[in-house]
Amino acid sequence: MLLIKNGKVLTMAGITYEKGCILVEDGKIKEIGESIVETENMEIIDAKGGWVMPGIIEAHCHIGIMEEDKGFEGNDTNEMTDPVTPQLRAIDAINPMDTAFNDAVEGGVTSVMTGPGSANVVGGQFVFMKTKGKSIDDMIVKEPAAMKIAFGENPKRVYSGKGKMPATRMATAALLRETLTKAAQYKEKKEKALAKGEDFTEDFKQEAWLPVLNQEIPLKAHAHRSDDILTAIRIGKEFNLHMTLDHCSEGHFIPEYVAASSYPAIIGPTLTRRSKIEVQNKTFKTPGIVHKAGTLVALTTDHPVIPVQYLSKCAGLAAKEGLGIEEGLKAITINAATICGVADRVGSLEVGKDADIAIFSGNPMEIFTDTLYTIIDGQIVYKA
Protein backbone atom coordinates (compact mmCIF):
# COMPACT_ATOMS: atom_id res chain seq x y z
CA MET A 1 0.00 0.00 0.00
CA LEU A 2 1.02 3.58 -0.67
CA LEU A 3 0.08 6.50 1.55
CA ILE A 4 0.37 10.11 0.42
CA LYS A 5 0.10 12.57 3.30
CA ASN A 6 0.43 16.27 4.10
CA GLY A 7 -0.63 17.44 0.66
CA LYS A 8 -3.10 19.94 -0.68
CA VAL A 9 -5.39 17.35 -2.27
CA LEU A 10 -7.41 18.68 -5.20
CA THR A 11 -9.74 15.79 -5.98
CA MET A 12 -11.35 17.57 -8.99
CA ALA A 13 -14.57 16.01 -7.71
CA GLY A 14 -15.77 19.04 -5.76
CA ILE A 15 -13.64 18.59 -2.64
CA THR A 16 -10.23 20.03 -1.79
CA TYR A 17 -8.34 19.05 1.35
CA GLU A 18 -5.88 21.74 2.39
CA LYS A 19 -3.97 19.05 4.28
CA GLY A 20 -5.12 15.65 3.12
CA CYS A 21 -4.14 12.05 2.60
CA ILE A 22 -4.67 9.38 -0.07
CA LEU A 23 -4.32 5.64 0.43
CA VAL A 24 -3.58 3.47 -2.59
CA GLU A 25 -3.90 -0.30 -2.78
CA ASP A 26 -3.62 -2.65 -5.77
CA GLY A 27 -3.46 0.23 -8.23
CA LYS A 28 -6.68 1.85 -7.04
CA ILE A 29 -7.55 4.69 -4.67
CA LYS A 30 -8.76 3.06 -1.46
CA GLU A 31 -9.31 6.05 0.82
CA ILE A 32 -9.13 9.85 0.79
CA GLY A 33 -9.43 12.09 3.83
CA GLU A 34 -7.89 14.60 6.17
CA SER A 35 -6.07 11.87 8.07
CA ILE A 36 -5.35 8.17 7.50
CA VAL A 37 -3.71 5.94 10.10
CA GLU A 38 -0.24 4.81 9.05
CA THR A 39 0.79 1.16 9.31
CA GLU A 40 4.13 -0.57 8.94
CA ASN A 41 3.32 -2.10 5.56
CA MET A 42 2.70 1.27 3.90
CA GLU A 43 5.11 3.10 1.62
CA ILE A 44 4.89 6.76 2.64
CA ILE A 45 5.11 9.89 0.49
CA ASP A 46 5.18 13.12 2.47
CA ALA A 47 3.88 15.75 0.03
CA LYS A 48 5.03 18.53 2.38
CA GLY A 49 2.29 20.91 1.31
CA GLY A 50 2.59 20.17 -2.39
CA TRP A 51 -0.44 19.97 -4.67
CA VAL A 52 -1.76 16.42 -5.00
CA MET A 53 -3.94 16.04 -8.09
CA PRO A 54 -5.30 13.54 -10.57
CA GLY A 55 -2.71 12.78 -13.22
CA ILE A 56 -2.89 15.24 -16.11
CA ILE A 57 -4.73 14.05 -19.24
CA GLU A 58 -3.92 14.98 -22.84
CA ALA A 59 -7.17 14.67 -24.80
CA HIS A 60 -5.75 14.84 -28.35
CA CYS A 61 -2.22 14.08 -29.46
CA HIS A 62 0.01 11.88 -31.58
CA ILE A 63 2.50 10.69 -28.97
CA GLY A 64 4.07 7.35 -29.80
CA ILE A 65 2.72 7.34 -33.36
CA MET A 66 4.66 10.46 -34.41
CA GLU A 67 7.95 9.85 -32.64
CA GLU A 68 10.45 12.59 -31.96
CA ASP A 69 13.74 12.99 -33.85
CA LYS A 70 13.23 9.91 -36.05
CA GLY A 71 11.96 11.43 -39.27
CA PHE A 72 10.14 9.17 -41.73
CA GLU A 73 10.92 5.96 -39.85
CA GLY A 74 9.29 7.21 -36.66
CA ASN A 75 6.27 8.82 -38.30
CA ASP A 76 3.25 6.55 -38.79
CA THR A 77 0.66 9.28 -38.31
CA ASN A 78 -0.95 9.58 -41.74
CA GLU A 79 -1.67 6.89 -44.36
CA MET A 80 -1.74 9.33 -47.28
CA THR A 81 -2.70 6.80 -49.97
CA ASP A 82 -6.48 6.78 -49.44
CA PRO A 83 -8.60 9.62 -48.03
CA VAL A 84 -10.93 7.21 -46.19
CA THR A 85 -9.19 4.73 -43.84
CA PRO A 86 -11.49 3.97 -40.87
CA GLN A 87 -9.95 0.50 -40.47
CA LEU A 88 -6.58 1.84 -39.27
CA ARG A 89 -5.84 1.34 -35.57
CA ALA A 90 -3.43 3.53 -33.63
CA ILE A 91 -2.44 0.59 -31.43
CA ASP A 92 -0.63 -0.97 -34.39
CA ALA A 93 1.76 1.99 -34.77
CA ILE A 94 2.34 3.38 -31.27
CA ASN A 95 5.84 2.82 -29.92
CA PRO A 96 5.78 2.84 -26.09
CA MET A 97 9.55 3.48 -26.22
CA ASP A 98 9.02 6.92 -27.77
CA THR A 99 11.09 9.24 -25.53
CA ALA A 100 8.12 11.62 -25.35
CA PHE A 101 6.42 9.22 -22.94
CA ASN A 102 9.22 9.91 -20.45
CA ASP A 103 8.68 13.64 -20.94
CA ALA A 104 4.97 13.16 -20.35
CA VAL A 105 5.56 11.33 -17.08
CA GLU A 106 8.00 14.00 -15.90
CA GLY A 107 5.30 16.59 -16.61
CA GLY A 108 2.72 14.74 -14.54
CA VAL A 109 0.83 13.52 -17.62
CA THR A 110 -0.46 10.04 -16.81
CA SER A 111 -2.78 9.29 -19.74
CA VAL A 112 -3.36 10.40 -23.32
CA MET A 113 -5.76 10.10 -26.23
CA THR A 114 -3.49 9.43 -29.20
CA GLY A 115 -3.93 8.36 -32.79
CA PRO A 116 -3.86 9.21 -36.51
CA GLY A 117 -3.36 12.67 -37.94
CA SER A 118 -5.55 14.86 -40.14
CA ALA A 119 -4.30 14.19 -43.67
CA ASN A 120 -7.29 11.97 -44.44
CA VAL A 121 -11.00 12.71 -44.36
CA VAL A 122 -11.21 9.60 -42.17
CA GLY A 123 -7.93 8.77 -40.48
CA GLY A 124 -8.69 5.77 -38.28
CA GLN A 125 -9.16 4.81 -34.66
CA PHE A 126 -7.68 6.57 -31.62
CA VAL A 127 -6.73 4.85 -28.36
CA PHE A 128 -6.82 6.15 -24.78
CA MET A 129 -3.81 4.88 -22.88
CA LYS A 130 -1.49 5.33 -19.91
CA THR A 131 1.92 6.93 -20.44
CA LYS A 132 4.14 4.30 -18.83
CA GLY A 133 4.70 0.73 -19.96
CA LYS A 134 6.58 -1.57 -22.30
CA SER A 135 3.62 -2.95 -24.27
CA ILE A 136 0.74 -0.95 -25.69
CA ASP A 137 -1.56 -3.84 -24.80
CA ASP A 138 -0.86 -3.28 -21.09
CA MET A 139 -1.26 0.50 -21.34
CA ILE A 140 -4.70 0.62 -22.97
CA VAL A 141 -7.62 2.15 -21.07
CA LYS A 142 -10.06 2.30 -24.00
CA GLU A 143 -9.69 1.01 -27.56
CA PRO A 144 -11.09 2.07 -29.89
CA ALA A 145 -11.70 5.39 -28.16
CA ALA A 146 -12.65 7.60 -31.13
CA MET A 147 -12.72 7.74 -34.93
CA LYS A 148 -10.61 10.51 -36.43
CA ILE A 149 -12.09 12.68 -39.18
CA ALA A 150 -10.71 15.94 -40.59
CA PHE A 151 -12.04 19.08 -42.22
CA GLY A 152 -10.29 22.14 -43.60
CA GLU A 153 -6.87 22.55 -45.15
CA ASN A 154 -5.11 19.26 -44.53
CA PRO A 155 -7.17 16.72 -46.55
CA LYS A 156 -7.61 19.08 -49.53
CA ARG A 157 -3.88 19.96 -49.57
CA VAL A 158 -2.79 16.31 -49.44
CA TYR A 159 -5.17 14.94 -52.07
CA SER A 160 -5.32 17.88 -54.49
CA GLY A 161 -1.61 17.27 -54.90
CA LYS A 162 -2.40 13.69 -55.88
CA GLY A 163 -5.07 14.73 -58.38
CA LYS A 164 -7.93 13.08 -56.49
CA MET A 165 -10.75 13.93 -54.11
CA PRO A 166 -10.89 15.89 -51.89
CA ALA A 167 -9.47 19.01 -53.47
CA THR A 168 -12.14 21.23 -51.88
CA ARG A 169 -14.06 21.50 -48.62
CA MET A 170 -17.16 20.41 -50.54
CA ALA A 171 -15.47 17.16 -51.49
CA THR A 172 -14.32 16.52 -47.93
CA ALA A 173 -17.89 16.82 -46.65
CA ALA A 174 -19.27 14.78 -49.55
CA LEU A 175 -16.79 11.93 -49.00
CA LEU A 176 -17.63 11.81 -45.31
CA ARG A 177 -21.38 11.81 -45.96
CA GLU A 178 -21.00 9.07 -48.57
CA THR A 179 -18.87 6.99 -46.22
CA LEU A 180 -21.27 7.36 -43.29
CA THR A 181 -24.26 6.54 -45.51
CA LYS A 182 -22.64 3.33 -46.73
CA ALA A 183 -21.65 2.42 -43.16
CA ALA A 184 -25.22 2.93 -41.94
CA GLN A 185 -26.53 0.76 -44.78
CA TYR A 186 -23.99 -1.93 -43.90
CA LYS A 187 -25.06 -1.83 -40.25
CA GLU A 188 -28.74 -2.20 -41.17
CA LYS A 189 -28.00 -5.06 -43.58
CA LYS A 190 -25.92 -6.89 -40.98
CA GLU A 191 -28.55 -6.49 -38.27
CA LYS A 192 -31.31 -7.81 -40.55
CA ALA A 193 -29.22 -10.81 -41.62
CA LEU A 194 -28.29 -11.72 -38.06
CA ALA A 195 -31.90 -11.34 -36.89
CA LYS A 196 -32.98 -13.83 -39.55
CA GLY A 197 -30.10 -16.19 -38.80
CA GLU A 198 -28.70 -15.69 -42.30
CA ASP A 199 -25.03 -15.88 -43.26
CA PHE A 200 -23.34 -12.50 -43.42
CA THR A 201 -19.90 -11.70 -44.82
CA GLU A 202 -18.26 -9.03 -42.70
CA ASP A 203 -16.46 -6.11 -44.32
CA PHE A 204 -13.37 -5.20 -42.30
CA LYS A 205 -13.47 -1.54 -43.31
CA GLN A 206 -17.17 -1.15 -42.52
CA GLU A 207 -16.90 -2.98 -39.19
CA ALA A 208 -14.75 -0.12 -37.91
CA TRP A 209 -17.77 2.19 -38.17
CA LEU A 210 -20.07 0.18 -35.92
CA PRO A 211 -18.86 1.63 -32.57
CA VAL A 212 -19.41 5.11 -34.05
CA LEU A 213 -22.87 4.38 -35.40
CA ASN A 214 -23.84 2.70 -32.12
CA GLN A 215 -22.73 5.88 -30.29
CA GLU A 216 -20.14 3.91 -28.31
CA ILE A 217 -17.30 6.21 -29.40
CA PRO A 218 -17.31 9.72 -30.91
CA LEU A 219 -16.13 11.10 -34.18
CA LYS A 220 -13.00 13.07 -33.37
CA ALA A 221 -13.34 16.02 -35.72
CA HIS A 222 -10.27 18.05 -36.67
CA ALA A 223 -11.74 21.50 -37.32
CA HIS A 224 -9.98 24.85 -36.83
CA ARG A 225 -11.91 27.44 -38.85
CA SER A 226 -15.42 28.46 -37.82
CA ASP A 227 -16.99 27.27 -41.08
CA ASP A 228 -15.27 23.89 -40.72
CA ILE A 229 -16.50 23.61 -37.13
CA LEU A 230 -20.05 24.26 -38.32
CA THR A 231 -19.70 21.68 -41.12
CA ALA A 232 -18.55 19.11 -38.58
CA ILE A 233 -21.55 19.89 -36.37
CA ARG A 234 -23.92 19.76 -39.35
CA ILE A 235 -22.76 16.29 -40.42
CA GLY A 236 -22.65 14.97 -36.86
CA LYS A 237 -26.26 15.99 -36.35
CA GLU A 238 -27.35 14.62 -39.75
CA PHE A 239 -26.18 11.14 -38.75
CA ASN A 240 -27.04 11.45 -35.03
CA LEU A 241 -23.49 10.76 -33.87
CA HIS A 242 -21.40 11.67 -30.86
CA MET A 243 -18.56 14.05 -31.71
CA THR A 244 -15.73 16.03 -30.18
CA LEU A 245 -14.66 19.30 -31.80
CA ASP A 246 -10.88 19.06 -31.82
CA HIS A 247 -8.74 22.22 -32.11
CA CYS A 248 -11.78 24.53 -32.43
CA SER A 249 -9.40 27.43 -33.01
CA GLU A 250 -12.13 29.83 -34.11
CA GLY A 251 -14.65 28.61 -31.56
CA HIS A 252 -14.60 32.08 -30.00
CA PHE A 253 -16.26 33.44 -33.18
CA ILE A 254 -19.23 31.06 -32.87
CA PRO A 255 -19.47 30.07 -29.16
CA GLU A 256 -23.28 30.02 -29.18
CA TYR A 257 -23.33 27.51 -32.06
CA VAL A 258 -20.72 25.29 -30.43
CA ALA A 259 -22.70 25.31 -27.18
CA ALA A 260 -25.99 24.62 -28.95
CA SER A 261 -24.48 21.53 -30.59
CA SER A 262 -23.77 19.98 -27.16
CA TYR A 263 -20.48 18.70 -28.60
CA PRO A 264 -17.47 19.22 -26.30
CA ALA A 265 -14.40 21.12 -27.50
CA ILE A 266 -10.75 20.12 -27.20
CA ILE A 267 -8.98 23.42 -27.85
CA GLY A 268 -5.42 23.93 -29.10
CA PRO A 269 -2.58 23.76 -29.89
CA THR A 270 -2.23 27.45 -29.11
CA LEU A 271 1.34 27.84 -27.82
CA THR A 272 2.79 27.64 -31.31
CA ARG A 273 3.14 29.72 -34.46
CA ARG A 274 0.32 30.47 -36.89
CA SER A 275 1.60 27.98 -39.44
CA LYS A 276 -1.57 27.71 -41.57
CA ILE A 277 -4.36 29.98 -42.76
CA GLU A 278 -6.92 28.09 -40.66
CA VAL A 279 -5.11 28.93 -37.41
CA GLN A 280 -4.59 32.65 -38.08
CA ASN A 281 -7.14 33.57 -35.40
CA LYS A 282 -6.07 31.18 -32.66
CA THR A 283 -5.88 32.69 -29.18
CA PHE A 284 -5.72 31.58 -25.56
CA LYS A 285 -8.98 33.48 -25.06
CA THR A 286 -10.91 30.79 -26.95
CA PRO A 287 -11.26 28.25 -24.09
CA GLY A 288 -12.72 30.82 -21.72
CA ILE A 289 -15.17 32.20 -24.27
CA VAL A 290 -16.35 28.75 -25.36
CA HIS A 291 -16.63 27.53 -21.74
CA LYS A 292 -18.66 30.56 -20.65
CA ALA A 293 -21.08 29.91 -23.53
CA GLY A 294 -21.83 26.51 -21.99
CA THR A 295 -19.47 24.06 -23.69
CA LEU A 296 -17.41 21.40 -21.89
CA VAL A 297 -13.78 22.26 -22.63
CA ALA A 298 -10.50 20.37 -22.56
CA LEU A 299 -7.11 21.50 -23.88
CA THR A 300 -4.56 19.92 -26.19
CA THR A 301 -0.90 20.32 -27.08
CA ASP A 302 -1.45 18.22 -30.23
CA HIS A 303 1.93 16.70 -29.34
CA PRO A 304 4.46 16.90 -30.92
CA VAL A 305 3.22 20.30 -32.15
CA ILE A 306 3.73 21.41 -28.54
CA PRO A 307 5.64 18.98 -26.31
CA VAL A 308 3.10 17.12 -24.18
CA GLN A 309 4.79 18.00 -20.87
CA TYR A 310 3.77 21.64 -21.37
CA LEU A 311 0.02 20.93 -21.33
CA SER A 312 -0.31 22.32 -17.81
CA LYS A 313 1.43 25.54 -18.88
CA CYS A 314 -1.00 25.90 -21.79
CA ALA A 315 -3.78 25.56 -19.23
CA GLY A 316 -2.17 28.36 -17.24
CA LEU A 317 -2.18 30.68 -20.23
CA ALA A 318 -5.82 29.83 -20.96
CA ALA A 319 -6.66 30.43 -17.29
CA LYS A 320 -4.98 33.84 -17.47
CA GLU A 321 -6.93 34.78 -20.62
CA GLY A 322 -10.36 34.08 -19.17
CA LEU A 323 -10.80 30.36 -18.47
CA GLY A 324 -9.89 30.77 -14.80
CA ILE A 325 -7.81 28.60 -12.48
CA GLU A 326 -10.50 26.06 -11.55
CA GLU A 327 -11.65 25.46 -15.13
CA GLY A 328 -8.03 25.46 -16.30
CA LEU A 329 -7.30 22.54 -13.98
CA LYS A 330 -10.52 20.78 -14.98
CA ALA A 331 -9.61 21.15 -18.66
CA ILE A 332 -6.57 18.91 -18.16
CA THR A 333 -8.12 16.46 -15.69
CA ILE A 334 -11.80 15.64 -15.20
CA ASN A 335 -13.11 17.48 -18.28
CA ALA A 336 -10.57 15.72 -20.48
CA ALA A 337 -11.51 12.36 -18.95
CA THR A 338 -15.23 13.01 -19.47
CA ILE A 339 -14.76 14.07 -23.08
CA CYS A 340 -12.59 11.00 -23.78
CA GLY A 341 -15.16 8.68 -22.22
CA VAL A 342 -12.95 7.41 -19.39
CA ALA A 343 -14.13 9.43 -16.37
CA ASP A 344 -15.12 6.20 -14.63
CA ARG A 345 -11.41 5.41 -14.26
CA VAL A 346 -9.36 8.60 -14.38
CA GLY A 347 -9.61 12.39 -14.18
CA SER A 348 -10.43 12.80 -10.50
CA LEU A 349 -9.27 11.44 -7.15
CA GLU A 350 -12.12 9.24 -5.93
CA VAL A 351 -12.31 5.92 -4.15
CA GLY A 352 -12.24 3.05 -6.63
CA LYS A 353 -10.64 4.98 -9.48
CA ASP A 354 -7.21 4.24 -10.94
CA ALA A 355 -4.44 5.58 -8.72
CA ASP A 356 -3.09 7.98 -11.35
CA ILE A 357 -1.75 10.83 -9.25
CA ALA A 358 0.59 13.77 -9.81
CA ILE A 359 2.23 15.68 -6.97
CA PHE A 360 3.52 19.16 -7.72
CA SER A 361 5.44 21.72 -5.68
CA GLY A 362 2.53 24.12 -6.28
CA ASN A 363 0.02 25.02 -8.98
CA PRO A 364 1.12 23.01 -12.07
CA MET A 365 -0.09 25.81 -14.35
CA GLU A 366 2.65 28.11 -13.03
CA ILE A 367 6.01 28.12 -14.77
CA PHE A 368 8.21 27.65 -11.68
CA THR A 369 6.25 24.65 -10.37
CA ASP A 370 8.05 21.29 -10.36
CA THR A 371 6.63 17.80 -10.69
CA LEU A 372 7.63 15.95 -7.51
CA TYR A 373 6.03 12.55 -8.14
CA THR A 374 4.05 10.89 -10.89
CA ILE A 375 2.09 7.77 -9.98
CA ILE A 376 0.34 5.50 -12.50
CA ASP A 377 -1.82 2.58 -11.39
CA GLY A 378 -0.42 3.00 -7.89
CA GLN A 379 3.22 2.73 -9.00
CA ILE A 380 5.70 5.59 -8.64
CA VAL A 381 6.96 6.12 -12.20
CA TYR A 382 8.71 9.46 -11.62
CA LYS A 383 10.34 11.05 -8.62
CA ALA A 384 12.11 14.39 -8.77
Side-chain angles (χ1 to χ4, degrees):
M1 288 192 288
L2 173 67
L3 177 65
I4 302 168
K5 65 179 186 178
N6 296 329
K8 179 176 180 177
V9 179
L10 293 86
T11 66
M12 307 311 297
I15 301 174
T16 294
Y17 299 94
E18 291 299 326
K19 189 175 182 182
C21 303
I22 302 175
L23 182 63
V24 173
E25 184 176 28
D26 296 329
K28 301 289 184 179
I29 297 172
K30 184 177 182 180
E31 187 178 350
I32 305 174
E34 293 182 350
S35 63
I36 296 174
V37 177
E38 296 181 29
T39 61
E40 291 183 357
N41 64 334
M42 290 179 183
E43 181 179 3
I44 307 295
I45 293 178
D46 188 343
K48 299 178 180 178
W51 285 34
V52 182
M53 292 178 45
I56 291 173
I57 298 171
E58 168 58 79
H60 172 117
C61 68
H62 310 287
I63 189 171
I65 197 169
M66 186 185 289
E67 299 179 63
E68 296 190 64
D69 302 322
K70 291 186 179 179
F72 172 80
E73 178 53 35
N75 187 353
D76 290 296
T77 319
N78 290 294
E79 180 61 40
M80 295 183 287
T81 57
D82 183 342
V84 179
T85 55
Q87 73 275 30
L88 302 187
R89 298 175 180 174
I91 56 170
D92 297 321
I94 292 168
N95 180 8
M97 303 304 170
D98 181 1
T99 55
F101 283 111
N102 291 329
D103 294 335
V105 167
E106 290 184 19
V109 179
T110 55
S111 53
V112 295
M113 176 80 94
T114 186
S118 52
N120 291 352
V121 177
V122 181
Q125 296 176 343
F126 265 61
V127 61
F128 191 92
M129 61 183 287
K130 301 296 179 74
T131 53
K132 189 68 174 181
K134 296 180 179 179
S135 167
I136 180 70
D137 302 285
D138 297 331
M139 301 161 75
I140 290 171
V141 176
K142 186 175 183 179
E143 197 283 325
M147 177 68 77
K148 180 66 178 290
I149 61 173
F151 299 88
E153 291 183 28
N154 291 4
K156 59 179 283 188
R157 182 180 66 249
V158 170
Y159 288 97
S160 63
K162 299 177 185 294
K164 61 188 295 187
M165 288 178 68
T168 64
R169 282 177 164 82
M170 292 183 294
T172 294
L175 275 174
L176 182 57
R177 282 193 177 96
E178 179 184 21
T179 300
L180 287 169
T181 298
K182 289 179 178 178
Q185 291 169 346
Y186 172 86
K187 176 177 180 289
E188 183 180 3
K189 185 178 179 181
K190 180 178 181 179
E191 289 174 348
K192 286 182 178 179
L194 294 178
K196 294 177 181 179
E198 298 175 349
D199 290 337
F200 183 82
T201 301
E202 292 187 347
D203 182 315
F204 181 65
K205 195 170 185 178
Q206 296 292 0
E207 285 289 316
W209 282 112
L210 297 183
V212 177
L213 296 174
N214 292 332
Q215 297 187 339
E216 296 166 5
I217 63 173
L219 288 171
K220 194 169 184 62
H222 167 111
H224 284 281
R225 222 168 66 176
S226 58
D227 57 335
D228 292 325
I229 296 168
L230 291 170
T231 299
I233 293 170
R234 186 180 311 117
I235 293 176
K237 295 299 182 182
E238 283 178 21
F239 289 87
N240 191 30
L241 301 175
H242 292 326
M243 177 181 286
T244 64
L245 301 172
D246 293 51
H247 306 309
C248 204
S249 297
E250 291 188 358
H252 56 284
F253 288 159
I254 51 169
E256 68 276 29
Y257 292 97
V258 175
S261 76
S262 298
Y263 291 144
I266 303 171
I267 299 174
T270 314
L271 189 64
T272 184
R273 68 189 181 94
R274 294 179 172 86
S275 57
K276 298 185 294 182
I277 297 297
E278 64 185 10
V279 299
Q280 291 301 296
N281 294 303
K282 70 183 181 68
T283 168
F284 275 109
K285 296 182 184 299
T286 306
I289 293 171
V290 172
H291 158 68
K292 289 172 183 176
T295 296
L296 187 66
V297 169
L299 301 177
T300 175
T301 62
D302 202 17
H303 178 94
V305 179
I306 302 168
V308 67
Q309 64 268 32
Y310 299 128
L311 178 58
S312 60
K313 305 307 179 276
C314 292
L317 289 165
K320 175 186 174 184
E321 294 296 335
L323 185 59
I325 292 175
E326 181 179 357
E327 288 300 323
L329 293 172
K330 285 182 177 180
I332 55 174
T333 55
I334 189 59
N335 285 6
T338 300
I339 291 170
C340 293
V342 291
D344 59 323
R345 289 188 56 180
V346 297
S348 61
L349 301 177
E350 299 180 77
V351 172
K353 283 195 174 184
D354 293 3
D356 290 3
I357 303 168
I359 305 176
F360 301 99
S361 60
N363 186 337
M365 297 191 294
E366 295 179 350
I367 194 69
F368 290 108
T369 296
D370 294 320
T371 308
L372 303 178
Y373 291 87
T374 303
I375 299 162
I376 297 178
D377 293 327
Q379 300 296 315
I380 299 172
V381 296
Y382 174 76
K383 179 180 179 181

